């Protein structure tokens, strides 16, 4: 059963044994958003895999990237014949040196590399000699559960414990609560993160026929 944001607020206050006077709605909103960002930085979640397209412009070394992008999975280019090739990631300083003369028409060619310039723009190199389709596979920044009282999210539906324990860590930090309580909830968060991470990057990306079934060893036993 999914946590709504209202449910999460209630659980946080119940665990902390405080009401809205001790933990205001605005404070909890910041706590939960900080927790969401922590989770999204630490775990690549399949539900937030997206694809976007861009098109290069002849003579222009920059392209626009999708908003809400957190992490890149891969970037591929499709030429006019339909051939697909992967672009390699480089530092923007490398591309600045690689493109000796951006205005030279004789140096324009099919791009091989891409680099971050800022949050909304990338460089590609060499400078394109024509239009190429660019496909971007990435992890997106999802809408926060705090957007409304009835909001839910993938993690509030499938990893309620992860979201709750992470929020309680932030809550007790805010309250300057006992260190042992912070440690308890941090340990619970780490345990929930490990099991959720195994599901996301392990079980969901394995073929049981080819890779075999994941087996948990008895506690204390090593392979």
């Amino acid at each position: 059963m999914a946590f709504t944001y209202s449910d999460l607020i209630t659980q946080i206050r119940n665990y902390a044994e405080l009401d809205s006077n001790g933990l205001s709605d605005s404070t909890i909103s910041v706590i939960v958003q900080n927790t969401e960002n922590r989770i999204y930085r630490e775990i690549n979640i399949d539900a937030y895999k997206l694809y976007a397209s861009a098109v290069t412009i002849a003579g222009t070394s920059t392209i626009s990237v999708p908003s809400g992008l957190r992490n890149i999975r891969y970037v591929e280019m499709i030429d006019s014949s339909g051939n697909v090739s992967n672009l390699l990631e480089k530092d923007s300083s490398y591309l600045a040196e690689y493109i000796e003369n951006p205005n030279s028409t004789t140096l324009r060619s099919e791009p091989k590399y891409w680099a971050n310039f800022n949050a909304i723009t990338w460089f590609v190199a060499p400078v394109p000699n024509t239009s190429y389709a660019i496909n971007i596979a990435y992890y997106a920044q999802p809408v926060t559960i705090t957007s409304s009282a009835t909001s839910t999210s993938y993690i509030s539906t499938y990893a309620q414990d992860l979201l709750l324990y992470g929020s309680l860590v932030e809550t007790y930090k805010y309250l300057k609560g006992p260190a042992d309580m912070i440690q308890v909830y941090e340990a619970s968060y780490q345990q929930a993160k490990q099991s959720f991470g195994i599901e996301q990057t392990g079980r969901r990306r394995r073929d049981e026929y080819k890779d075999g079934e994941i087996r948990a060893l008895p506690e204390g036993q090593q392979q």
Side-chain angles (χ1 to χ4, degrees):
M1 181 178 178
F3 262 172
T4 64
Y5 181 46
S6 179
D7 295 332
L8 183 58
I9 290 175
T10 299
Q11 290 295 323
I12 291 171
R13 285 175 176 156
N14 286 346
Y15 272 79
E17 298 182 341
L18 292 171
D19 57 17
S20 58
N21 293 318
L23 277 174
S24 67
D25 288 351
S26 59
T27 297
I28 290 181
S29 177
V30 173
I31 285 171
V32 172
Q33 288 183 61
N34 286 343
T35 302
E36 289 176 322
N37 284 325
R38 179 184 182 184
I39 292 170
Y40 301 145
R41 282 194 296 267
E42 294 179 350
I43 305 175
N44 288 328
I45 300 173
D46 283 350
Y48 304 134
K49 285 181 177 178
L50 292 180
Y51 296 87
S53 298
V55 178
T56 66
I57 299 174
T60 300
S61 61
T62 59
I63 61 171
S64 298
V65 297
S67 61
L69 182 151
R70 286 196 71 99
N71 297 309
I72 294 296
R73 297 175 54 224
Y74 59 86
V75 179
E76 61 183 18
M77 186 189 69
I78 305 173
D79 64 20
S80 59
S81 300
N83 299 312
V84 179
S85 59
N86 284 86
L87 299 185
L88 301 179
E89 182 181 8
K90 296 289 185 178
D91 292 331
S92 57
S93 57
Y94 176 90
L95 264 61
E97 293 182 10
Y98 186 92
I99 305 173
E100 297 180 0
N101 183 0
N103 297 319
S104 172
T105 57
T106 59
L107 295 177
R108 295 176 186 176
S109 182
E110 181 179 299
K112 299 177 181 178
Y113 310 109
W114 69 271
N116 281 307
F117 176 65
N118 57 32
I120 60 173
T121 306
W122 285 355
F123 285 127
V124 293
V127 176
N129 58 343
T130 186
S131 296
Y132 295 96
I134 304 292
N135 290 334
I136 304 167
Y138 66 101
Y139 290 99
Q141 171 73 31
V143 176
T144 174
I145 193 177
T146 65
S147 58
S148 74
T150 58
S151 287
T152 60
S153 66
Y154 185 87
I155 55 174
S156 77
T157 302
Y158 296 103
Q160 300 98 322
D161 53 345
L162 182 65
L163 183 58
L164 175 60
Y165 291 135
S167 296
L168 289 172
V169 171
E170 295 299 318
T171 297
Y172 276 84
K173 287 180 181 178
Y174 168 78
L175 295 173
K176 299 178 176 62
D180 59 337
M181 292 303 298
I182 295 176
Q183 291 172 359
V184 166
Y185 290 128
E186 177 65 25
S188 296
Y189 170 84
Q190 292 296 335
Q191 185 177 20
K193 184 182 80 171
Q194 182 180 32
S195 61
F196 185 61
I198 289 172
E199 176 187 275
Q200 290 296 308
T201 62
R203 293 188 178 94
R204 289 178 60 88
R205 302 181 192 179
R206 289 172 62 93
D207 183 318
E208 187 175 301
Y209 176 77
K210 293 188 297 183
D211 301 321
E213 184 178 357
I214 297 177
R215 292 177 172 83
L217 293 173
E219 186 174 354
Q221 182 176 334
Q222 296 181 349
Q223 288 183 322

